[in-house]
Structure formats: structure tokens, C-alpha cells
Amino acid sequence: MRAPHPHRALRKTTVGTVSAALVAGAAFGLAPAAQAAPAAAPPAASATDVRFVDIPGDGGTILKANVFTPQGAQPGTRYPAIVLPTSWAMPQIEYVAQAQKLANSGYVVVSYNSRGFWQSGGEIETAGPEDIADASKVIDWTLAHTPADPSKVGMAGVSYGAGISLLAAGHDKRVRAVAALSGWGDLIDSIYSGRTQHAQAAALLGGAGALTGRPSAELQQTLKDFLGSNLDKEDEMIAWGAKRSPATYLDEINENGAAVMLGNAWGDTLFPPNQYAEFYERLTGPKRLEFRPGDHATAEATGLLGLPNDTWTSTQRWFDHYLKGADNGIDKEQPVQLKSRSTGGYEGYPDWKSVGPTRQKIAMAGSTTIHANVDSGANGGIAILSNALEQFLKIPPTASVPLLPRRYTGVWQSERYASAQRVRGTAKLHTTLTSTKESGTLVAYLYDVGPLGLGKLVSNAPYTFHGKTPGRPFGVDLELFSTAYDVPAGHRLALVVDTVDPLYIEHNPSGAQLTFSSPATDPSYLSVPLREQ
């Protein structure tokens, strides 16, 4: 794919994050203790029967599970079934509240602990072939040991459970409906977008896996190579991720024809929305896409506690229609449903490309040179925490744009807007870059800047290059993470570019400089998608 290059110096502020991940990796040897951890007692079921069972997975590996059956189920009566693989690092009782609700409304629900975590056997295979086979084994068991209807099987899950559910839909034709919440379509495009390691995301996954399960040797080595920027293993890591990406099996998913609902958050720092939207567009069967404010799994979190939750309400409506045949209208609604970060209201669209049909360009005129290796103060915040603060308290990451040091940042701004601008979709950066070194990283940010210069983060994305000839210009095209954000009248949009962000590993050698230019024959710009007024 690409010629390997030696790893260049990492910025000092990344060391803490990466070291934490590697320290967590050292705890892998302690993980078997999690196997003996006692499971918490489930809440009492009101109108359902619940039991805890052992299900033989692939190769006979025991998967700890719980089964909810509608109370008073009569012999010979069949019910639609929903299988729920647990999220990464979560115990088998994760879905108890939702499983009980589903069983109360007439579903057989089987939730199982994914292999390698907590009391289930095996090792963490990161949605590998063993996990896909486990899903089919759980379906086998469900059909043999519960009053489940073999023609009405669905799968759902949050995060890791979402990915396994989508993968299963491409490998098992019995899966007729899927609700994949805070999941991924492309694993590499999620944590390695712009050819840049998402350091905090990988560290969180690695650390949580070490504390709650038994990572496989393959996972341990992949994390070590990934966080250590071992470019000699880049092709292997990409192949590893492709094997675990539902997008790889898109033809099979489409051929099997399961009805697929995807839900995610605008600020998901593990699985950004872009890759989910692209995956959605390529689905050909019944489908639905929902985006809401928040970060990874925060849009579903209250529902896991049994509280009212829009995501889980849509999930049940989806299954009611495609497994029960209920005429609840979900198939007649606009299939793309977006909740704005600014207004909190829902908007419906016929498809993803209709979300931001109008594009406005912010010109990047002239030539701007910035010095690398220093955090300018513009950054994407802290994984999970920052976007959750915006979701619940309306406090996004901020920066004083006029005070950003121009030695380390490039800043280009629009004029003040006379009316509100509704940013919807994916902003795209196009520029010409010249570096003094063969490798480097830049991070682009889009800010909503108020009259006093305070910028509220609208979006961001990283970009890394290797093997470039120092002093020779080359083109850069970068998609920022998709969003839905309203810029108030009297404000302006600002594109800010620097080279250091705690979210990402950077590859700028000491003393590197990046120059952004705008040739007359190929002008540089940021293209911002806007909803029609």
C-alpha cells in the first residue's frame, strides 16, 4: 500500500496518553481475574421471566448470557427474538432494562457477554471471526431453547455490540433486522482517519479491555504497533481492521437484506459519524440513520438505565415493524433523522446527500507558515468527556481565536453573517501544503466565533502524511467530522489549523514547519455544507 517510513518524533503531550495505554496493556496478565468476578444481580422483572444461562459459542467457548421471555408464554407459541451482544468491557447485565421492556412487549431477548470479557470464556478477538461465529451460535441456542420464531430474528447492541450485530447480518441470513447504536462501519476510518492514530480512543479501548477481559495476543500486538506508530506494520494493521469492518461485507449484508438502523452521536470520539454515514449510503435494503448530540454511547446511556430515551424508542419501533409487522409508520418517515446540537430539534431528510445541499467556501488566500510541535490551545477536547458536557450542559470545547498564537496556528475566517447559518453535514478542506520534513501532522478545526472572539468548536479532523519531499508542495483533501450546528447571526466561522491535539498522535519532527498556499490555478478553501434556509 504505502512504503514504510521510520516513526518520527511524537509530541511530548501525547506521551502521557500513550504511556497510560501501554501501562494498561501491561495489566493484560491480570485480566483472567475478571473471569471470576461475580455478576451483579438483575433488577426484578415485572411481566417477564428471566434466567441466566451458559451458551456454548464458537469452539465450545462458554458465553454468559441472560434470557428474557414474555411471562406466561404458552407451549407452541412463537415470539420474535432479539439477540444483544454486550458492549466492549460491559458485563452481561448491560441491557437488562431494555431487555425487560422488549420482553414485556412480546419479544424473546437473549443478551450475552462477548467472548473474552468478564465471565465469558475465550479471549478478546475484537469482532473477529470468532465473535461473528459466536453470534450465530447464540442464535442457534435461542431457537433451540426458547419459544423464538426462526423467521423473526433481530440483533442490536451499543458500540461493540453494534459492530458484531452488523457483521453478523452479513454472515447469517437469519438476522432480519439490526439496530446498531454507536457502532462502526469502517474500523480503520474510525480510529485511523486521516492516517492519524486516534490516541485517546485507542488508549480507552485498550485500557478497558485490559481491566475487564483477556485481550488476545493479536490484539495486544496490534495495539502496541498502532500506538507505537510502527509503520512497517501499517498494511497488516489495516488488513486486521478491514476483517473487522462491516463495510468489508457490505455486499453480503445487502444480499441478505436485513433492515438496518444506525444510530450515533455527532461527537463520537471513538467512531466518528462520517464513516457511519458513508456506510449507510451504501446499504440497499430498508435502512434508517439517526444522529444526535453527544459522544460515544452517551446518546443511548439513559436508556440502559431504564429512563426514557429517543434512541431506544426508535430501536423498538424498528423491531416492531420489521419483526412483528406493526404498521407504526417508521418505514414511511424520512429515513435520515438528525438532532441539531444547537436547537435540539429533529430534522428529517430522504438521504445523507440531502442534508447539506448548499456549500459556502471560506477562502484560504495567500501563504501561511506555522511551526509544529506546540499545542496552540485549539483542540478537540477530551474523549467522551468534552462532547458529553456539550450534550448535557451545552458547554463545547472553546478557544479565543484572536489570542491563538499565529506562529503555531493558521487562521482563516468568514465575514460576519447577517443571518443564522445552519451547518449540516461534512465540511471539506482543500489546500496545498509544503513541509520542511518528509512526515507531519495537521489538525483542522472549525469554530463558531462570537463578537468577542470566543470560538465554540463545530468540528475537527486530523491529517498525517509520510514520505513527502521536503520543500515540494502537495495537495491535501480532508473531510472534517460531520455535524449539525447553527451559527447565530452576527457570528462568523473560522478555520484554524495547528499541529498538536491531545486526541491524536502527531508525526511532526522537531523544528518542522508547514506552509499553506493557494495557487491561482488551484485555490485553497474550506467548503462548509449548509441547510437551505
Side-chain angles (χ1 to χ4, degrees), residues 75-230:
T77 302
R78 294 290 177 181
Y79 299 90
I82 298 175
V83 174
L84 302 169
T86 56
S87 303
W88 186 273
M90 292 296 285
Q92 69 185 91
I93 62 168
E94 174 185 11
Y95 301 114
V96 162
Q98 288 302 321
Q100 182 172 307
K101 287 185 177 182
L102 288 166
N104 287 347
S105 62
Y107 291 93
V108 169
V109 184
V110 178
S111 172
Y112 70 95
N113 226 123
S114 302
R115 70 165 50 223
F117 288 104
W118 293 93
Q119 293 176 306
S120 284
E123 297 180 330
I124 302 172
E125 303 295 344
T126 323
E130 299 88 347
D131 293 295
I132 300 171
D134 282 346
S136 289
K137 291 291 186 181
V138 173
I139 293 173
D140 292 342
W141 186 94
T142 301
L143 297 179
H145 296 88
T146 74
D149 186 336
S151 67
K152 298 177 180 179
V153 176
M155 288 192 68
V158 175
S159 185
Y160 195 45
I164 291 174
S165 295
L166 285 174
L167 289 162
H171 290 78
D172 194 321
K173 294 182 179 180
R174 295 174 295 181
V175 179
R176 306 312 309 148
V178 170
L181 313 176
S182 288
W184 72 92
D186 187 323
L187 188 57
I188 294 299
D189 197 32
S190 295
I191 62 174
Y192 195 48
S193 70
R195 206 181 176 188
T196 308
Q197 297 100 320
H198 294 210
Q200 290 186 17
L204 283 169
L205 292 172
L211 291 173
T212 62
R214 300 163 299 284
S216 67
E218 184 181 29
L219 173 57
Q220 293 181 57
Q221 186 61 50
T222 300
L223 269 175
K224 181 179 178 181
D225 291 336
F226 183 77
L227 290 169
S229 301
N230 186 354

Side-chain angles (χ1 to χ4, degrees), residues 314-387:
S314 290
T315 295
Q316 180 158 347
R317 292 181 65 223
W318 190 252
F319 286 133
D320 284 351
H321 181 75
Y322 286 102
L323 294 183
K324 285 185 175 180
D327 186 15
N328 57 16
I330 196 167
D331 58 318
K332 301 179 180 65
E333 297 170 0
Q334 297 276 37
V336 176
Q337 293 286 322
L338 311 181
K339 188 174 185 180
S340 168
R341 291 164 53 196
S342 303
T343 66
Y346 283 95
E347 303 166 357
Y349 300 87
D351 49 39
W352 178 249
K353 65 177 178 291
S354 301
V355 169
T358 301
R359 287 201 165 263
Q360 179 186 93
K361 290 184 178 179
I362 298 175
M364 300 172 62
S367 178
T368 299
T369 298
I370 63 174
H371 295 252
N373 311 117
V374 173
D375 190 338
S376 70
N379 64 66
I382 300 172
I384 309 298
L385 177 60
S386 295
N387 291 310

Side-chain angles (χ1 to χ4, degrees), residues 393-484:
L393 300 178
K394 300 299 182 184
I395 305 174
T398 59
S400 176
V401 174
L403 297 181
L404 291 174
R406 296 314 196 254
R407 178 179 175 84
Y408 305 109
T409 53
V411 179
W412 299 267
Q413 299 191 77
S414 71
E415 298 297 325
R416 294 191 189 279
Y417 296 113
S419 59
Q421 305 294 300
R422 294 182 287 183
V423 179
R424 299 291 186 275
T426 310
K428 299 178 180 180
L429 171 66
H430 174 75
T431 190
T432 297
L433 181 64
T434 306
S435 175
T436 58
K437 307 291 184 179
E438 67 169 8
S439 296
T441 298
L442 63 91
V443 184
Y445 310 90
L446 183 62
Y447 282 102
D448 161 23
V449 184
L452 300 179
L454 181 65
K456 296 181 179 180
L457 187 65
V458 177
S459 184
N460 78 99
Y463 178 90
T464 293
F465 58 90
H466 296 288
K468 298 299 183 182
T469 302
R472 179 179 295 178
F474 60 94
V476 171
D477 287 285
L478 173 64
E479 289 190 350
L480 277 63
F481 300 137
S482 305
T483 195

